[in-house]
Amino acid sequence: MNLFGHFALFLALVASVWAAVGSVLGIVARGRGLQQSAERAVLATATCTLLAMGALWVAFLTDDFTNDYVYHYSSRAQALPFKIGALWGGQAGSLLLWAGILTVMASVMVLTNRRKNRVLMPWATFVTGATMAFFMILLNFIESPFVTGAARPDGVGLNPQLKNFWMMIHPPSLYLGYVAFTIPFAFAIASLATRRTGDIWFRTTRRWTLFAWFFLGIGILLGSYWAYVELGWGGYWAWDPVENASLMPWLVGTAFLHSVMIQEKKGMLKIWNVALIILTFSLSIFGTFLTRSGVISSVHAFATSNIGPAFGIFLGIVFFSSLALLIVRLDDLKSEGRLESLLSRESSFVFNNMILVGIAATVLFLTTFPMLSEAVTGRKVTMGPPIFNLVNIPWAIALLFLVGVGPLIAWRKATASNLKRNFVWPAVAGAVTLVALTLVDAREYVDALRRLGGSLAAFDVAGAFDHLKAFYPAITFATGMFVLGTVGLELHRGVRARRHQHGESLPMAAAQLVWRNKRRWGGYIVHVGVVVVFFGIAGSSAYQKEGVRELQPGETFKIDDYAMRYDGYRLEAVDDHVGAITEVTVWYKDDPVPVGRILAEQRMHPNMLFGELRQAFLLAKASAFGDPETYRRAVENVYAVMQGLEGRAGREVKTMSTEVGIHESLSLASPSRFGEDFYVMPLWVDPGTGRANFRVFVNPMVNFLWIGGLILIFGAHLSVFPDARERRRLETAMLLEERAAA
């Protein structure tokens, strides 16, 4: 299969090169036959790439350890789902997955545009063909997944931290987002090249943009959940460079989704929109550069390699050539309107864009600053979460405020009556929330105000910003309630109007209102999801409690209003690891009835290349169905063998991982704890005595993040649902542009 995979990738390279070259020849010669040939080459590239992916999967499933990639990312004991997911566990496989997704998307683009957009398609095919060719060059000459070596009895196995269900779907989701931005980018370049700079290019690719934005956002959320349940530090976002790499294109893509509405309605921001999609695609490539080059330290260091220079060159070509083309076409991108007032919907969208791009630029600067400082001074400066939070949180709150303002403020110029009609009651909701939260923690806010005043009096700007943090949660909740108030007010008016006009019942009027304007209400529901996510971030960050305690079985530990009793532990040898599973019981306040029992595990993944260790582990696994005491002693022996080997070898012969235990409070019967997690992680367990060291967190409202994500998914699906009115608008716009070009 390795030879077959090599051959398939080589054919994919040839086909992708022809897709790019054939498109250019078709443009020059104005030949329809050449263009058809180039588009067929796109389909051939996809077929060959999928065959190569199939060949690699077969190598994983048949334990073909002569393949170097399979040897490093799989083992005989690895469970079937992780053998399948191991394809994107390392560098070469990730590139192959990226290429596979790109070629399939390019094929869909070709097939869905066979009878439309024929002026734009040659250039769009060229851009996607050139991008495919770049990935095929990497896979054929720099990072092939089909390199072979000597026959080996077993493999090293996948990184234990990646053996998680969410990690299996998180990378594909991110890649779907990264790669899908290629299509809007290709059409934007095509519009510049053909001077068809109207709104066809972004109307045609609106669903592609939403698709990319949706999957990138979901990928970020899944990655956060994976970090929360797998890494055991009680949090979900650490401003890690690779996390930031996915956040930046998502932020700029969000700005693009909003700014194209202004071009669609008012014919403004044409240059800005093209610049945004160029920036979004460039940041997607930059994200891969950061993830794979290893130039910056990250928890994703398992994925580093030496392909950084190639990505750097490709990124430079994409960004600067696109920018040059944009500059050449500036005259074709003049706005048809202008801003008439700062109090208008156009202005709120512009402010929204400035904040989103500003946050992305800040994250980019802080993420790359260690690399820049090392290049200039020779010293690497670490940028931790405090500096990211200090800079970004105020802007994020301002952005949340604009989420409420943008959809309701009037076009062109808002009048006093418009502002009063749309924002008085939402502002009252926000103000009441702010006052209520301030009164609940009045003493802390008074202390924070006193410290803030002292810092301002001493001209200590950094200290003032630091003390200002105490007010962020209350301001976030108040701003969120303001946004929910605007959405609720809009819903109330719409339902009332339908009931008055059509005599519908309340549920029918609400359903009809949403269904008849899916794009608008899908956006509103996404905004509600964003507010709920903000609530989760504010609550879990501001009110988190943490404790570390060493316990013997039977001992109790108290934290916040909870009591935790360590009941005991058991040892096991399964799959490719041995583990100590601890069991704890949790009570809330003085309630005699426990709120839950939690299992949390510390695992050791033995290096099976040590024969003695492999034999001890297999013996322990074989003892699982016999006498329990014999099984226990066999697993204890694995721990002893690992300890002995490390003493003799002077290095680790195992990889550790943890499975955290979480009790989620999702019952409405306890509203004060709704969304809260009691989070337990064993830092260390003595396999002989069971004595264990636990890290425990109480995370209020953390589940609001995941609930907000589900709301966001629903809203995004609703907004892309087929809509006859949207289709007619696109057909009309295409007809007008064809007439104008003629």
Side-chain angles (χ1 to χ4, degrees):
M1 294 308 291
N2 294 316
L3 185 60
F4 178 83
H6 269 302
F7 189 62
L9 281 182
F10 180 74
L11 288 180
L13 171 63
V14 173
S16 61
V17 169
W18 176 246
V21 174
S23 296
V24 173
L25 294 176
I27 293 165
V28 173
R30 297 178 182 273
R32 174 67 179 151
L34 281 168
Q35 177 56 27
Q36 285 182 336
S37 175
E39 292 181 2
R40 287 171 186 152
V42 171
L43 304 181
T45 307
T47 303
C48 293
T49 308
L50 293 178
L51 286 173
M53 290 178 69
L56 189 56
W57 262 316
V58 169
F60 271 111
L61 297 178
T62 58
D63 293 328
D64 180 6
F65 298 119
T66 60
N67 179 308
D68 282 355
Y69 190 75
V70 175
Y71 167 73
H72 283 106
Y73 297 101
S74 184
S75 67
R76 292 189 184 281
Q78 195 156 294
L80 179 63
F82 299 128
K83 286 187 178 182
I84 296 171
L87 186 137
W88 50 88
Q91 179 67 273
S94 295
L95 290 173
L96 182 58
L97 176 65
W98 182 301
I101 294 172
L102 175 60
T103 57
V104 170
M105 288 185 176
S107 300
V108 173
M109 179 193 77
V110 165
L111 293 173
T112 55
N113 286 279
R114 282 174 297 177
R115 295 184 181 84
K116 60 182 181 182
N117 294 317
R118 295 315 308 172
V119 176
L120 300 178
M121 276 304 291
W123 283 100
T125 307
F126 163 71
V127 173
T128 51
T131 308
M132 290 189 302
F134 166 70
F135 279 92
M136 292 308 160
I137 290 171
L138 292 180
L139 286 165
N140 277 277
F141 304 115
I142 301 178
E143 199 70 38
S144 172
F146 296 106
V147 175
T148 55
R152 296 105 166 183
D154 207 341
V156 176
L158 193 63
N159 185 313
Q161 290 182 333
L162 302 183
K163 292 175 182 175
N164 178 286
F165 170 77
W166 300 108
M167 197 59 189
M168 288 296 98
I169 58 176
H170 156 63
S173 178
L174 278 183
Y175 289 172
L176 283 169
Y178 282 139
V179 177
F181 277 124
T182 308
I183 309 301
F185 170 74
F187 272 84
I189 296 300
S191 74
L192 291 176
T194 57
R195 310 189 81 155
R196 299 283 187 103
T197 52
D199 53 3
I200 297 299
W201 70 270
F202 67 78
R203 284 181 186 271
T204 297
T205 57
R206 176 176 167 268
R207 286 189 179 175
W208 283 105
T209 308
L210 278 169
F211 180 90
W213 175 85
F214 171 76
F215 275 100
L216 192 54
I218 293 302
I220 291 170
L221 202 63
L222 290 175
S224 300
Y225 189 73
W226 166 77
Y228 183 66
V229 302
E230 188 66 32
L231 297 184
W233 56 284
Y236 40 82
W237 190 264
W239 295 107
D240 179 83
V242 176
E243 292 174 336
N244 299 343
S246 61
L247 180 64
M248 289 183 285
W250 187 82
L251 288 170
V252 181
T254 306
F256 173 72
L257 275 173
H258 287 82
S259 65
V260 291
M261 293 183 205
I262 303 299
Q263 182 174 347
E264 194 177 343
K265 299 284 186 183
K266 299 293 180 182
M268 299 164 58
L269 305 179
K270 292 182 179 179
I271 299 172
W272 178 245
N273 287 330
V274 176
L276 281 181
I277 197 63
I278 291 173
L279 196 56
T280 303
F281 180 68
S282 299
L283 284 172
S284 296
I285 300 297
F286 181 73
T288 308
F289 168 75
L290 268 189
T291 308
R292 305 298 172 185
S293 64
V295 296
I296 292 179
S297 300
S298 160
V299 296
H300 298 72
F302 53 83
T304 61
S305 77
N306 56 356
I307 64 170
F311 263 95
I313 293 170
F314 181 67
L315 175 62
I317 293 172
V318 167
F319 182 71
F320 289 109
S321 60
S322 304
L323 201 59
L325 184 59
L326 173 61
I327 292 170
V328 169
R329 293 288 189 255
L330 284 180
D331 287 342
D332 298 327
L333 293 166
K334 290 180 179 174
S335 288
E336 298 162 18
R338 63 183 180 84
L339 285 178
E340 297 183 23
S341 169
L342 289 178
L343 287 176
S344 64
R345 189 171 299 186
E346 296 92 320
S347 294
S348 75
F349 275 55
V350 170
F351 289 136
N352 157 298
N353 267 233
M354 290 170 66
I355 293 175
L356 284 165
V357 175
I359 293 174
T362 304
V363 172
L364 176 64
F365 174 73
L366 293 177
T367 303
T368 55
F369 188 79
M371 184 174 60
L372 298 174
S373 78
E374 188 175 29
V376 175
T377 67
R379 291 188 302 124
K380 184 174 280 189
V381 178
T382 302
M383 289 288 169
I387 184 67
F388 281 93
N389 292 334
L390 180 70
V391 176
N392 290 319
I393 288 178
W395 290 114
I397 295 174
L399 185 65
L400 184 61
F401 175 72
L402 289 174
V403 167
V405 171
L408 291 192
I409 195 169
W411 292 102
R412 297 180 61 189
K413 185 177 182 179
T415 61
S417 62
N418 168 263
L419 296 175
K420 182 179 177 183
R421 179 172 179 268
N422 289 321
F423 298 112
V424 167
W425 287 112
V428 168
V432 169
T433 304
L434 183 63
V435 171
L437 291 175
T438 306
L439 290 177
V440 168
D441 291 322
R443 181 175 297 176
E444 291 187 16
Y445 284 114
V446 170
D447 289 342
L449 267 178
R450 192 172 59 248
R451 291 194 297 271
L452 177 62
S455 296
L456 290 174
F459 298 102
D460 179 6
V461 178
F465 271 104
D466 192 49
H467 297 316
L468 203 58
K469 290 190 301 186
F471 301 95
Y472 288 159
I475 295 173
T476 302
F477 285 116
T479 310
M481 290 306 294
F482 167 76
V483 178
L484 294 180
T486 60
V487 177
L489 187 63
E490 188 72 350
L491 180 65
H492 167 70
R493 287 176 183 157
V495 169
R496 187 179 60 184
R498 284 203 65 86
R499 295 190 73 186
H500 178 71
Q501 290 177 3
H502 305 286
E504 295 169 340
S505 65
L506 184 66
M508 178 58 72
Q512 285 291 335
L513 178 70
V514 172
W515 186 250
R516 293 181 68 82
N517 202 337
K518 295 183 277 295
R519 180 178 171 185
R520 180 180 179 84
W521 279 97
Y524 278 136
I525 293 170
V526 167
H527 286 176
V528 171
V530 169
V531 170
V532 176
V533 168
F534 267 73
F535 284 176
I537 294 172
S540 60
S541 303
Y543 307 117
Q544 184 189 60
K545 298 289 188 300
E546 177 185 359
V548 177
R549 181 66 62 87
E550 190 170 308
L551 299 173
Q552 287 280 11
E555 290 184 332
T556 301
F557 170 54
K558 291 188 176 181
I559 177 171
D560 202 17
D561 288 326
Y562 289 91
M564 178 190 99
R565 185 184 66 203
Y566 175 26
D567 294 325
Y569 78 109
R570 70 175 188 272
L571 301 177
E572 67 173 13
V574 295
D575 294 336
D576 59 351
H577 65 268
V578 291
I581 303 173
T582 60
E583 183 173 349
V584 301
T585 304
V586 183
W587 288 266
Y588 183 68
K589 288 188 174 176
D590 297 325
D591 191 340
V593 180
V595 295
R597 299 184 190 281
I598 298 175
L599 298 178
E601 183 177 3
Q602 186 198 49
R603 292 178 176 176
M604 305 283 184
H605 301 259
N607 187 335
M608 300 300 181
L609 299 180
F610 289 87
E612 182 184 353
L613 185 52
R614 175 181 169 82
Q615 187 176 7
F617 176 72
L618 293 177
L619 181 63
K621 280 186 71 173
S623 306
F625 301 103
D627 175 57
E629 186 56 29
T630 303
Y631 179 45
R632 176 187 174 83
R633 287 200 299 271
V635 179
E636 279 189 52
N637 183 54
V638 178
Y639 281 91
V641 172
M642 287 191 290
Q643 188 174 8
L645 277 173
E646 287 178 348
R648 294 199 300 273
R651 66 182 183 91
E652 293 280 345
V653 300
K654 63 182 182 306
T655 304
M656 294 176 59
S657 68
T658 55
E659 293 295 309
V660 302
I662 300 174
H663 170 73
E664 301 166 337
S665 298
L666 294 174
S667 170
L668 293 174
S670 304
S672 64
R673 289 189 291 125
F674 182 79
E676 184 170 281
D677 275 357
F678 189 87
Y679 182 106
V680 179
M681 186 191 76
L683 295 170
W684 167 84
V685 182
D686 185 326
T689 65
R691 188 169 188 80
N693 197 23
F694 291 99
R695 173 175 286 168
V696 182
F697 295 90
V698 178
N699 290 327
M701 300 185 70
V702 69
N703 286 290
F704 279 60
L705 261 87
W706 327 126
I707 295 170
L710 293 175
I711 297 172
L712 194 146
I713 289 172
F714 176 69
H717 274 82
L718 183 65
S719 64
V720 297
F721 220 77
D723 190 311
R725 288 190 297 178
E726 285 293 321
R727 190 172 61 251
R728 286 195 295 272
R729 285 174 192 156
L730 175 60
E731 290 170 354
T732 304
M734 293 175 75
L735 185 62
L736 289 174
E737 187 156 308
E738 288 296 333
R739 286 177 181 171

